[in-house]
Amino acid sequence: MNKRLTNKVTVITGAGSGIGRCSALLFAREGAVVVVNDLNEANGRAVVTEIQEAGGQALFVEADVSEAESVKTMVQTVMDEYGKIDVLFNNAGISNVGALHEVDVEQWDRIMNVNVKGVFLPCKFSLPFMMERYAGTIINMSSCVAEIGLARRAAYGATKGAVLALTKAMQVDYAPHGIRINALVPGTIMTPFVQNYLQNAYDDPQAAIASIKKRQLSGELGTPQDVAYAALFLASDESKFMMGSPLYIDGGATFGKDA
Ligand code: NAP
């Protein structure tokens, strides 16, 4: 059977959990060499072990995507080990729930650093190597919260809007270098990220989950697999005519309204 990412070196940030983890396992099954990045070493190494035990190739690289030196070292490690980066999937991100006046200045800085600078830095340090080879695909993780006004997501929405704008602007600059840059725009996907904010930011997590389900036409939350398959499409040459585009995987949350 033809695999879709045979021998493609793919770097996935925040791949120790949730959507990143699921994408790492899927990309490896499709023949990719997967660089599993995460802050959480135990989780990242567990993903690498799972890939290797299934016969795939993977390497764990611990790095904080919001720290320039850490990201520079990660990119250099990948280049020393494999000599190229075919796919960069900027997936790592953190959440924040609150209306703007409730957001601490430190929380604002933190989420901007991880969700926006954490996309800028891996791109900045990988692009020169992609440009040398006139090849590369970058996938940036946005969110449907960038497109719809969602209650108590001011800081988070601002970061994901920035990622979408960055994706479009970058594509213009790097199209002449043979590099494609697209964004994933998920709705609410059941992962540890969502489990945590349901527990920590809502008085009644069950009522919150019922209301989240209602705003998606699917009536259900998405799964990490739903997003991983979209990421696989963007990583593969099957999406070669997609450039600077958002890809929605949101159960209808962005464009649908049932009342
Ligand atoms: P997740 O399960 O929490 O996974 C995110 C991973 O990123 C975690 O392993 C986390 O490590 C890691 N991480 C956090 N900060 C990092 C940093 N500075 N450097 C490196 N790694 C870091 O979350 P998820 O739901 O899969 O979300 C993945 C991405 O999808 C995020 O960008 C999120 O905003 C986006 N997204 C999610 C949803 C959703 O509903 N789940 C919807 C739209 C978009 P720790 O565990 O140590 O924090």
Side-chain angles (χ1 to χ4, degrees):
M1 195 184 85
N2 272 350
K3 294 191 173 184
R4 295 157 78 182
L5 297 178
T6 301
N7 294 328
K8 299 265 190 209
V9 176
T10 69
V11 177
I12 306 179
T13 67
S17 173
I19 296 166
R21 172 182 175 276
C22 189
S23 302
L25 298 173
L26 178 63
F27 284 21
R29 286 203 299 277
E30 289 293 337
V33 176
V34 183
V35 177
V36 173
N37 156 261
D38 210 278
L39 268 183
N40 185 318
E41 182 176 355
N43 285 351
R45 289 203 186 279
V47 174
V48 168
T49 303
E50 207 175 331
I51 290 173
Q52 289 171 340
E53 283 177 357
Q57 297 182 73
L59 173 75
F60 173 66
V61 183
E62 189 176 344
D64 180 338
V65 294
S66 67
E67 294 288 336
E69 279 311 310
S70 184
V71 176
K72 202 171 172 181
T73 304
M74 172 176 77
V75 170
Q76 198 52 57
T77 303
V78 179
M79 290 306 297
D80 292 345
E81 192 70 28
Y82 302 114
K84 63 172 184 168
I85 297 173
D86 294 295
V87 178
L88 168 63
F89 180 8
N90 290 305
N91 164 76
I94 58 174
S95 67
N96 181 272
V97 180
L100 193 73
H101 72 279
E102 299 167 335
V103 178
D104 296 341
V105 173
E106 294 72 25
Q107 287 176 333
W108 176 272
D109 289 344
R110 177 84 190 123
I111 198 165
M112 283 291 165
N113 276 336
V114 176
N115 291 11
V116 185
K117 196 174 178 191
V119 173
F120 159 65
L121 290 171
C123 290
K124 175 176 171 55
F125 294 119
S126 302
L127 277 162
F129 297 113
M130 291 182 170
M131 288 160 75
E132 262 176 29
R133 295 176 57 238
Y134 193 78
T137 299
I138 296 177
I139 304 164
N140 291 332
M141 183 60 91
S142 181
S143 162
C144 73
V145 178
E147 299 271 23
I148 56 176
L150 187 61
R152 305 181 68 223
R153 294 296 190 287
Y156 182 71
T159 66
K160 294 303 181 180
V163 169
L164 205 50
L166 182 65
T167 301
K168 294 171 189 175
M170 281 175 63
Q171 181 62 91
V172 178
D173 292 333
Y174 297 104
H177 298 278
I179 298 164
R180 292 190 304 115
I181 303 155
N182 292 293
L184 290 170
V185 185
T188 307
I189 311 297
M190 189 43 99
T191 66
F193 173 99
V194 169
Q195 278 154 357
N196 288 342
Y197 77 59
L198 282 170
Q199 290 308 321
N200 300 328
Y202 288 92
D203 295 336
D204 183 347
Q206 284 314 318
I209 207 163
S211 124
I212 291 171
K213 284 182 178 177
K214 248 170 61 187
R215 72 171 179 245
Q216 304 191 155
L217 294 179
S218 60
E220 282 302 332
L221 302 198
T223 66
Q225 283 81 359
D226 293 329
V227 185
Y229 277 110
L232 173 63
F233 172 63
L234 291 183
S236 79
D237 294 339
E238 292 160 12
S239 61
K240 69 179 169 42
F241 203 51
M242 279 190 74
M243 300 179 82
S245 289
L247 180 57
Y248 297 86
I249 325 100
D250 67 351
T254 308
F255 298 111
K257 200 162 180 18
D258 71 353

